[in-house]
């Protein structure tokens, strides 16, 4: 069993840039593509994800230190450190239930496709780690592998159903036909789509509108997405107390994110569309005229400039909320760069309206911090079991990504009732 766990961990250690191209190539062959075409599709998607994650790294390497600078300037004393998704995924895969998740997840997805309870064929195997973390949480609470696996399946079913529900928005607003998103750190915030609808009906607020297109029409060059990135990045650097040179550097880096991310997503779609069309033809021949969507990493949604702009504005707001929120003990840090994933569905529901997205996003962040604080003792216990070292000066650890994940938190609390 340990050898199998080691193999799974080694395979997943290759990352999405290897796993997704292999999965897409195999799918292409299964759905009747010629070998050359399948290889090209897989490689194109691999190249696109290399580019996407390089841009995300650019975002992370700049936002992390800037957030730390803001915290130090505020003199904040919060004893639960947000360790970020990399440490959280390591905690997940260190659990004894980890070996079962990928085969179980694939079986569940196939069954749901055959029974027509989902339209999403989720090839984003890398992000199965969210299901694994859910299983690890419930296993830690109950000591039962079976309960842990049941929790993981429930989480996966919710992810797939939300992916189906939000797919029309992904296709329409994000211009990604045939694509759905079942990433655990994104689907958790889908219920806040309803809060967007409420905000859009409030007198005064409903008339406030700002998206990259309207900003550019009104302000010319200063409304260009690249310039917006420069301004927001420089503002974050200034709040962190950076020197003039470093302020300019982070501004240019954020401008690069705004420009490069949409182009990487376009490359990804070049590789995905041939496979998506082949899959649809293959399934229609055997199961009739059915809509089947390919489930991909939520990173594909970051190509819209409104998502990055909203996330950059929310970065200092998140730190401020953590400071003033009564009862919060979590210091945002590691997952600040995941804020674009958190707000992606809300931005889509708001049709790119940055003002409405920031308002709803602030409410989401506040609730997420409360949930992350609540689960911190259990999270810290899991980190200790996985031999994850606590950051210096922290009493406990948690994360916005999974510790503050609404679906994760609800399932954990339900299983606690029975244990």
């Amino acid at each position: 069993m340990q050898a199998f766990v080691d193999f799974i961990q080694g395979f997943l250690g290759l990352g999405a840039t290897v796993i997704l191209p292999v999965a897409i190539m195999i799918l292409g062959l299964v759905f009747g593509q010629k070998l050359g075409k399948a290889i090209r599709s897989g490689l194109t998607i691999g190249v696109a994800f290399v580019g996407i994650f390089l841009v995300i790294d650019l975002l992370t390497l700049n936002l992390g230190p800037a957030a730390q600078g803001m915290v130090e300037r505020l003199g904040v004393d919060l004893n639960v450190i947000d360790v970020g998704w990399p440490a959280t995924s390591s905690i997940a895969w260190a659990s004894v239930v980890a070996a079962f998740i990928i085969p179980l997840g694939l079986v569940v997805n196939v069954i749901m496709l055959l029974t027509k309870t989902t339209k999403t064929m989720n090839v984003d195997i890398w992000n199965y780690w969210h299901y694994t973390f859910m299983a690890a949480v419930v296993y830690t609470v109950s000591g039962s592998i079976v309960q842990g696996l049941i929790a993981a399946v429930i989480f996966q079913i919710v992810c797939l159903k939300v992916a189906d529900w939000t797919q029309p928005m992904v296709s329409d607003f994000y211009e990604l036909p045939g694509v759905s998103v079942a990433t655990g750190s994104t689907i958790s915030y889908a219920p806040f789509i309803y809060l967007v609808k409420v905000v859009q009906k409030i007198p005064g607020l409903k008339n406030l509108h700002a998206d990259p297109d309207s900003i550019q029409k009104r302000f010319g060059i200063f409304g260009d997405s690249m310039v917006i990135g420069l301004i927001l990045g420089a503002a974050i650097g200034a709040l962190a107390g950076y020197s003039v040179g470093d302020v300019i550097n982070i501004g240019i880096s954020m401008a690069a994110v705004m420009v490069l991310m949409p182009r990487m997503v376009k490359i990804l779609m070049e590789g995905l569309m041939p496979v998506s069309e082949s899959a649809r033809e293959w399934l229609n021949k055997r199961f009739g005229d059915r809509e089947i969507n390919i489930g991909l990493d939520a990173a594909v949604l970051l190509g819209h400039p409104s998502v990055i702009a909203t996330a950059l504005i929310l970065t200092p707001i998140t730190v401020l909320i953590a400071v003033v929120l009564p009862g919060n003990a979590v210091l945002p840090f590691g997952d600040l760069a995941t804020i674009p994933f958190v707000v992606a569905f809300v931005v889509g529901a708001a049709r790119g309206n940055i003002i409405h997205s920031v308002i709803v996003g602030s409410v989401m962040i506040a609730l997420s911090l409360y949930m992350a604080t609540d689960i911190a003792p259990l999270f810290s216990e899991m980190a200790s079991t996985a031999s994850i070292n606590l950051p210096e000066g922290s009493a406990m650890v948690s994360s916005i990504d999974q510790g503050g994940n609404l679906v994760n938190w609800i399932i954990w609390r339900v299983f606690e009732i029975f244990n």
Side-chain angles (χ1 to χ4, degrees):
M1 176 63 73
Q2 186 58 44
F4 182 66
V5 172
D6 291 342
F7 170 77
I8 292 295
Q9 289 177 333
F11 175 66
L12 290 169
L14 298 173
T17 54
V18 173
I19 296 171
L20 282 173
V22 170
I24 290 296
M25 185 181 69
I26 292 173
L27 277 178
L29 293 173
V30 168
F31 295 135
Q33 282 189 326
K34 293 182 179 179
L35 179 61
K37 193 173 182 180
I39 291 174
R40 180 174 178 78
S41 291
L43 282 176
T44 302
I45 286 175
V47 168
F49 267 101
V50 167
I52 287 171
F53 288 124
L54 283 174
V55 178
I56 291 173
D57 284 344
L58 181 64
L59 189 69
T60 304
L61 292 173
N62 282 277
L63 283 187
Q68 189 172 17
M70 283 187 278
V71 168
E72 289 173 354
R73 293 188 79 195
L74 290 169
V76 180
D77 184 22
L78 299 171
N79 65 354
V80 179
I81 303 297
D82 166 23
V83 292
W85 72 264
T88 307
S89 64
S90 298
I91 293 169
W93 292 118
S95 171
V96 297
V97 296
F100 303 99
I101 298 301
I102 289 182
L104 179 63
L106 292 172
V107 168
V108 169
N109 197 176
V110 169
I111 290 173
M112 290 185 69
L113 283 168
L114 292 175
T115 56
K116 298 184 179 181
T117 49
T118 187
K119 299 175 183 177
T120 297
M121 180 184 299
N122 191 15
V123 301
D124 186 19
I125 298 172
W126 159 246
N127 274 311
Y128 275 32
W129 77 262
H130 293 100
Y131 313 152
T132 308
F133 185 80
M134 182 75 263
V137 166
V138 172
Y139 173 75
T140 303
V141 168
S142 65
S144 166
I145 292 178
V146 172
Q147 287 192 44
L149 296 179
I150 291 172
V153 170
I154 293 171
F155 191 86
Q156 180 182 8
I157 290 172
V158 172
C159 287
L160 291 171
K161 297 304 288 185
V162 171
D164 291 340
W165 171 44
T166 54
Q167 197 282 326
M169 176 183 67
V170 171
S171 178
D172 178 28
F173 177 74
Y174 287 104
E175 299 180 350
L176 298 171
V179 172
S180 57
V181 170
T183 306
S185 53
T186 301
I187 64 94
S188 172
Y189 298 93
F192 289 92
I193 289 173
Y194 294 111
L195 184 55
V196 172
K197 298 180 185 297
V198 172
V199 170
Q200 290 174 334
K201 293 179 181 178
I202 297 175
L205 282 180
K206 67 180 181 180
N207 297 323
L208 298 176
H209 188 88
D211 60 55
D213 289 338
S214 62
I215 293 172
Q216 187 165 14
K217 287 178 183 176
R218 185 169 183 178
F219 297 102
I221 183 63
F222 293 101
D224 185 278
S225 61
M226 181 167 54
V227 178
I228 291 173
L230 173 67
I231 294 170
L232 293 176
I236 290 172
L239 289 171
Y242 282 3
S243 66
V244 174
D246 288 337
V247 166
I248 295 172
N249 183 63
I250 191 173
I252 292 175
S253 296
M254 294 305 101
V257 170
M258 297 287 273
V259 173
L260 294 174
M261 187 63 81
R263 299 186 183 185
M264 294 303 105
V265 173
K266 285 181 180 178
I267 294 173
L268 182 139
M269 290 306 297
E270 288 178 16
L272 180 66
M273 289 312 298
V275 178
S276 180
E277 291 168 5
S278 298
R280 193 167 288 106
E281 291 174 5
W282 188 90
L283 290 165
N284 287 346
K285 286 179 181 177
R286 288 158 179 80
F287 302 105
D289 189 13
R290 288 187 57 191
E291 179 186 356
I292 299 293
N293 303 300
I294 306 297
L296 292 179
D297 192 304
V300 300
L301 305 182
L302 273 56
H304 198 286
S306 290
V307 176
I308 301 298
T310 299
L312 291 177
I313 294 170
L314 280 173
T315 298
I317 290 176
T318 298
V319 176
L320 180 61
I321 289 173
V323 173
V324 302
L325 195 65
N328 171 60
V330 175
L331 177 63
F333 182 65
D335 273 332
L336 283 171
T338 68
I339 291 177
F341 295 84
V342 169
V343 300
F345 281 164
V346 165
V347 173
R351 306 299 297 175
N353 189 327
I354 297 171
I355 296 174
H356 293 169
S357 300
V358 168
I359 292 170
V360 176
S362 298
V363 176
M364 290 162 49
I365 292 296
L367 292 175
S368 182
L369 288 171
Y370 274 136
M371 290 184 287
T373 298
D374 188 35
I375 203 174
L378 178 63
F379 200 109
S380 301
E381 178 187 343
M382 293 168 62
S384 178
T385 302
S387 300
I388 302 294
N389 294 325
L390 297 183
E392 185 178 349
S394 66
M396 291 184 287
V397 295
S398 189
S399 82
I400 293 173
D401 187 310
Q402 286 300 285
N405 183 296
L406 178 61
V407 177
N408 195 329
W409 185 84
I410 291 172
I411 295 173
W412 162 53
R413 279 304 188 183
V414 169
F415 274 86
E416 271 211 328
I417 293 172
F418 302 102
N419 289 280

